[in-house]
Amino acid sequence: NAGVMQNPRHLVRRRGQEARLRCSPMKGHSHVYWYRQLPEEGLKFMVYLQKENIIDESGMPKERFSAEFPKEGPSILRIQQVVRGDSAAYFCASSPRQEEQFFGPGTRLTVL
Amino acid sequence: GESVGLHLPTLSVQEGDNSIINCAYSNSASDYFIWYKQESGKGPQFIIDIRSNMDKRQGQRVTVLLNKTVKHLSLQIAATQPGDSAVYFCAEILDSSYKLIFGSGTRLLVRP
């Protein structure tokens, strides 16, 4: 059973471009969570999704950020018009139910 | 011994010694706690968890202690090995929630 997959592992964007981060949960997991991590800090919750539904997006900035988890395919975290402050590691986790979250390897976003 | 560096506090131990990593959590309503290990360039990896109705739980070479009175959590690693070198985070989940709230982390360095 493959773990949580994230791609790309590294993403470089110039200010104003769009960033799309993908997350494929573990097989059988219907809960997906996105977290952001700045260097030398703990992870911060952004959004929690189940298939086709956003359950909680209270940790996500209201502008430029969006997330989806369609019926088919991976979960996508989308950042429009990126700024330097968006540079961070973005981690996806999945779980078969609440609490047991398994993390992917992360996508490291660098905004030039 | 333990020291506070520029960013993450660092614990340096001799290979074979026992390590104790401490964490203070913030919310008395938290009822589930997890320790994660994060190696450089990787996502957090589950180590051990404990519920609030317990004060101690043991795994393979690891023990978690929970003191609800002072809202303190500790991770004990027996016979520390070089492969244990990583950043360790505690995380809490509030009652009936799913959001992992991460602590600030401790870097463990194992001297050969």
Side-chain angles (χ1 to χ4, degrees):
Chain A
N1 188 6
V4 177
M5 310 279 282
Q6 288 189 250
N7 68 82
R9 294 293 311 277
H10 299 273
L11 182 61
V12 179
R13 285 287 178 266
R14 296 191 180 280
R15 281 179 295 170
Q17 291 184 320
E18 178 180 287
R20 279 188 180 233
L21 288 62
R22 294 175 194 79
C23 169
S24 296
M26 289 177 70
K27 187 176 180 180
H29 289 192
S30 59
H31 302 248
V32 165
Y33 314 79
W34 286 93
Y35 292 81
R36 177 161 72 175
Q37 185 179 34
L38 295 174
E40 305 284 293
E41 294 187 10
L43 282 69
K44 298 286 195 295
F45 170 82
M46 298 180 73
V47 61
Y48 163 41
L49 310 103
Q50 293 181 27
K51 283 286 187 182
E52 299 185 276
N53 287 305
I54 296 175
I55 307 301
D56 182 344
E57 55 183 349
S58 60
M60 203 154 65
K62 299 228 181 311
E63 297 180 353
R64 302 187 299 107
F65 284 72
S66 62
E68 62 177 15
F69 188 17
K71 187 176 179 182
E72 301 291 337
S75 175
I76 307 285
L77 178 66
R78 183 183 177 205
I79 311 173
Q80 296 178 289
Q81 299 174 316
V82 295
V83 300
R84 289 219 173 104
D86 296 333
S87 295
Y90 292 84
F91 290 95
C92 167
S94 73
S95 69
R97 55 188 173 277
Q98 291 180 9
E99 295 180 349
E100 284 189 59
Q101 297 180 27
F102 297 84
F103 283 85
T107 293
R108 276 141 190 89
L109 173 66
T110 302
V111 179
L112 301 177
Chain B
E2 186 171 300
S3 64
V4 176
L6 289 176
H7 302 284
L8 290 173
T10 299
L11 176 64
S12 179
V13 300
Q14 191 73 37
E15 181 179 356
D17 287 352
N18 296 335
S19 302
I20 300 177
I21 301 171
N22 297 304
C23 175
Y25 63 93
S26 54
N27 201 313
S28 55
S30 294
D31 66 348
Y32 181 56
F33 305 88
I34 309 169
W35 278 101
Y36 285 95
K37 172 186 180 183
Q38 187 175 27
E39 296 174 283
S40 181
K42 296 184 179 179
Q45 177 188 353
F46 174 93
I47 300 174
I48 192 168
D49 59 359
I50 189 168
R51 296 199 176 275
S52 58
N53 60 354
M54 303 171 69
D55 52 21
K56 181 179 180 178
R57 189 155 188 241
Q58 288 186 289
Q60 188 177 15
R61 279 203 309 120
V62 294
T63 301
V64 55
L65 298 177
L66 174 63
N67 185 330
K68 294 181 287 294
T69 303
V70 294
K71 292 190 285 187
H72 183 268
L73 198 64
S74 69
L75 176 70
Q76 300 178 2
I77 304 174
T80 314
Q81 302 170 359
D84 295 328
S85 293
V87 177
Y88 289 81
F89 292 98
C90 66
E92 58 186 298
I93 292 185
L94 296 175
D95 184 28
S96 302
S97 179
Y98 42 78
K99 293 181 197 178
L100 284 167
I101 301 170
F102 281 80
S104 55
T106 297
R107 188 184 311 279
L108 176 64
L109 295 177
V110 182
R111 303 188 303 271

